Amino acid sequence: MIYQNIQLNDPGGKYDNYRTDLVATVCYLAGLSDDKMEMDQFSKEKVAELRKDDRATTIRYLCSIRMQIFRNYKQISAAKFQPGSETDNFEKCFDKDQVKFLREKGIEFVHVNMKGTSSIFMNVAYINQYILDNIDKIKPLIPDWIKFEYIRSLFLMPKCNAGPSGSLVLTHQKQQNVFSNIRNEMNSYNSNKNSYPYQLFIMWPYTLSEKDGNVLFNDEKFLKMLYGANRDIFKAREYVIDAPVQAKESFYDFVSQAGSVAIFVDCENVTPYSFVGMLKGLDAANISKIREIVLYDDEHTSTAWDYVSSYVDLDIPITHKEIERVLDNKSLIDTVMTAGVCKSYYEDHVDSVVLASSDSDFWGLITTVSLAKYYILNERSRTSQTIIDRFDQKGIEHCFMDDFAQDKVQLFKTQVLLGTLRKRISNFNETGIWQDMDANQLVDSLFREAYITGADTQMEQEKKTFINTYLKGGFTIKYSEDAEGNRPFRMELNRK
């Protein structure tokens, strides 16, 4: 049975498989109200995670107070000058818990009659400065495969901040320039509020209109429009669209109805990142009956298979079998894996077999050991229509692993790349040979060895992120004298 992804232009689609973790993060940071953050659109786990993060909550409260000032400018401005303590009257306009939280973080946004002005825009200027000072702290909350500068710019108001220690609002002329810019942004927002997503104030790169719809509807729409607004193209669709609910449920049903089930992986004909993305996209409680996962591998496959068992956080034993070749040009994976399935069925009484492979060579196994129940995990991009038709004719269910969202695989990719890099360093420390002296060439080589592929622009972004995060600090060469008087060099990676 084949499950197709629902397209954005499908009027009958429910978008169940479109991810919303990123838009949930942006909405939280921008100050979306607590009741709306509880909408079914957003993952409860994601929202709970954000609420525990002080970095995110700091930006959230600053944005929330700024937005309240914009929405209720006249009332809040008037409240400042009512009889009594100006500070007390001003503070009553905002959530006391937000004010308390910010003060505990050393952030004081209440500035009354400061530097020769009573304008409420002085408070906004300081809020903008605090957002500027803190916005980079939320970078770890944004996946590496997204251009953080585009997200960052949504919360910053250019030429509208107070400057370090209020340096940009010291004189009357400077104040007027900053206040004029703030007023223009406020008026633009208030006159077009219904076009902003959930009426949240964000600094979209162009003037939003109702024809844009809700730009924070789901991660794909948001990123396509955000990249487009920055004259860029977002092509990593596989990161933001998950497998359809029906595909997951078909797999859960297969496992629940099995007496004993095991997964056998043909590492030659499966992309490790698709397989890991599929496992990370499943509910652990629904696959608890899986007895084991067996990886059949050899030296010509991706190095990523070496890291699967340490990355996949499931209470399922993972066995990694590396099959030696007798002839360099002849793999024995198919033969050994077929023997492994037969042994599990006939000796270990595994009655339900999950085959992870996009190859047709296992059709002989399926038709020979015909009493076993089969479920196939394959990849849309690597499976022929002929074998899919055979599955349908025989009533064998399957789902495409590359339909599962790949966003959770990024940390796995980083783990593989760092592991591969450490092997290079270890080899240098043993042999003194280092081939790739250029950082770009080194990273290209690491990505090839790890079999990490994707759209050119996305690969450029991921390679740039890896260089900036892990290679920018460079390497340190050390030596120490041994008993024979030798002074061998040793390389170490400098990490931030």
Side-chain angles (χ1 to χ4, degrees):
M1 186 178 298
I2 305 171
Y3 297 105
Q4 299 289 344
N5 282 331
I6 302 168
Q7 301 300 314
L8 272 173
N9 59 2
D10 177 2
K14 295 182 179 179
Y15 311 107
D16 288 337
N17 57 325
Y18 283 73
R19 299 190 66 81
T20 59
D21 281 0
L22 178 62
V23 294
T25 300
V26 173
C27 285
Y28 183 83
L29 295 170
L32 187 64
S33 62
D34 286 335
D35 60 325
K36 289 183 179 177
M37 287 303 304
E38 296 298 326
M39 292 186 298
D40 290 339
Q41 177 187 2
F42 303 133
S43 159
K44 300 294 186 294
E45 292 78 11
K46 185 64 180 180
V47 174
E49 174 189 320
L50 291 167
R51 284 178 173 152
K52 293 177 182 177
D53 195 302
D54 284 359
R55 299 165 299 180
T57 302
T58 297
I59 298 296
R60 171 177 174 78
Y61 287 170
L62 287 168
C63 289
S64 175
I65 291 171
R66 178 175 66 183
M67 185 164 54
Q68 290 174 63
I69 293 175
F70 282 4
R71 289 176 175 178
N72 307 295
Y73 172 75
K74 290 184 179 179
Q75 299 92 311
I76 294 175
S77 185
K80 276 185 63 176
F81 306 107
Q82 290 176 1
S85 167
E86 292 177 344
T87 300
D88 287 345
N89 287 327
F90 184 55
E91 287 180 10
K92 288 177 183 177
C93 299
F94 308 105
D95 185 305
K96 63 181 181 180
D97 290 333
Q98 294 185 4
V99 176
K100 179 182 177 183
F101 176 90
L102 292 174
R103 282 189 174 145
E104 288 175 349
K105 300 298 177 186
I107 296 175
E108 178 56 75
F109 73 91
V110 177
H111 298 278
V112 180
N113 293 329
M114 284 192 63
K115 297 180 174 61
T117 182
S118 60
S119 173
I120 196 173
F121 289 141
M122 181 66 79
N123 303 279
V124 178
Y126 273 88
I127 289 172
N128 287 335
Q129 185 63 42
Y130 286 127
I131 292 174
L132 177 61
D133 292 343
N134 287 276
I135 192 66
D136 288 341
K137 295 177 182 178
I138 61 101
K139 186 174 182 179
L141 304 179
I142 306 301
D144 288 346
W145 46 270
I146 296 171
K147 291 188 177 178
F148 178 69
E149 60 266 31
Y150 296 166
I151 303 293
R152 183 180 188 270
S153 65
L154 296 175
F155 303 95
L156 303 180
M157 295 176 61
K159 301 180 180 179
C160 295
N161 54 301
S165 302
S167 59
L168 298 181
V169 289
L170 283 174
T171 67
H172 179 73
Q173 183 59 51
K174 286 183 176 181
Q175 290 172 14
Q176 293 310 302
N177 290 337
V178 171
F179 295 172
S180 176
N181 293 333
I182 292 173
R183 184 183 295 277
N184 289 338
E185 293 295 346
M186 181 186 74
N187 290 340
S188 176
Y189 167 67
N190 284 328
S191 64
N192 192 35
K193 196 182 302 179
N194 289 333
S195 295
Y196 285 74
Y198 306 109
Q199 297 190 355
L200 289 172
F201 175 73
I202 55 175
M203 290 294 293
W204 197 256
Y206 60 79
T207 301
L208 289 165
S209 66
E210 292 190 16
K211 69 178 177 60
D212 294 315
N214 181 2
V215 297
L216 292 173
F217 179 59
N218 59 45
D219 291 356
E220 184 188 35
K221 179 176 182 179
F222 170 61
L223 287 171
K224 279 189 172 182
M225 295 192 69
L226 180 63
Y227 274 56
N230 285 280
R231 298 187 177 184
D232 198 352
I233 301 174
F234 176 72
K235 292 184 177 180
R237 190 171 185 263
E238 66 273 18
Y239 291 91
V240 293
I241 298 183
D242 204 358
V245 173
Q246 303 97 313
K248 292 184 180 182
E249 288 180 346
S250 75
F251 186 70
Y252 295 151
D253 289 344
F254 178 83
V255 173
S256 67
Q257 294 169 14
S260 179
V261 59
I263 299 178
F264 302 89
V265 184
D266 171 12
C267 296
E268 276 189 319
N269 290 292
V270 167
T271 305
Y273 309 103
S274 294
F275 181 69
V276 169
M278 183 273 301
L279 288 181
K280 298 291 282 186
L282 295 174
D283 179 4
N286 286 325
I287 59 174
S288 59
K289 289 178 66 176
I290 296 176
R291 174 185 290 189
E292 66 174 338
I293 298 172
V294 186
L295 310 177
Y296 290 88
D297 192 9
D298 84 354
E299 60 182 346
H300 291 275
T301 63
S302 169
T303 56
W305 292 111
D306 296 333
Y307 301 89
V308 171
S309 59
S310 62
Y311 183 76
V312 176
D313 186 20
L314 292 173
D315 191 22
I316 302 173
I318 298 179
T319 303
H320 187 191
K321 296 188 175 184
E322 297 197 25
I323 315 303
E324 292 186 10
R325 295 190 175 200
V326 176
L327 300 175
D328 287 342
N329 63 345
K330 182 63 177 176
S331 169
L332 299 176
I333 284 182
D334 291 354
T335 303
V336 177
M337 182 170 162
T338 297
V341 173
C342 291
K343 179 181 180 298
S344 292
Y345 179 74
Y346 289 110
E347 293 185 15
D348 301 332
H349 308 295
V350 170
D351 65 340
S352 298
V353 174
V354 177
L355 293 178
S357 178
S358 297
D359 194 3
S360 62
D361 288 351
F362 290 107
W363 189 250
L365 167 65
I366 292 171
T367 54
T368 301
V369 188
S370 56
L371 294 179
K373 300 173 184 175
Y374 292 95
Y375 191 100
I376 309 300
L377 299 172
N378 51 350
E379 293 173 274
R380 188 186 300 274
S381 58
R382 297 160 66 105
T383 307
S384 71
Q385 186 60 47
T386 301
I387 191 65
I388 290 173
D389 291 341
R390 289 290 184 91
F391 292 151
D392 292 340
Q393 290 167 10
K394 199 168 179 63
I396 296 174
E397 290 194 279
H398 70 98
C399 72
F400 295 117
M401 290 180 289
D402 41 358
D403 279 355
F404 285 76
Q406 296 293 295
D407 60 323
K408 295 180 181 178
V409 180
Q410 286 308 108
L411 290 176
F412 177 58
K413 288 182 179 179
T414 300
Q415 182 178 349
V416 174
L417 290 168
L418 282 176
T420 306
L421 177 59
R422 290 189 184 103
K423 286 182 179 179
R424 295 284 186 93
I425 294 174
S426 178
N427 182 67
F428 170 82
N429 291 334
E430 291 180 6
T431 66
I433 299 173
W434 187 265
Q435 295 180 334
D436 298 305
M437 300 304 296
D438 179 81
N440 291 324
Q441 292 176 359
L442 171 61
V443 172
D444 286 345
S445 178
L446 294 176
F447 270 67
R448 282 195 303 272
E449 190 170 336
Y451 286 67
I452 297 175
T453 60
D456 289 344
T457 54
Q458 191 61 35
M459 287 298 95
E460 289 174 12
Q461 171 66 21
E462 293 188 23
K463 290 176 182 178
K464 178 181 176 183
T465 298
F466 188 82
I467 288 174
N468 290 337
T469 304
Y470 300 103
L471 299 185
K472 203 168 186 179
F475 301 89
T476 297
I477 302 293
K478 298 180 178 180
Y479 72 87
S480 59
E481 188 171 329
D482 60 22
E484 286 75 31
N486 298 315
R487 294 183 173 183
F489 284 112
R490 289 192 62 80
M491 179 186 290
E492 294 180 3
L493 176 65
N494 296 331
R495 293 283 302 276
K496 294 182 180 180

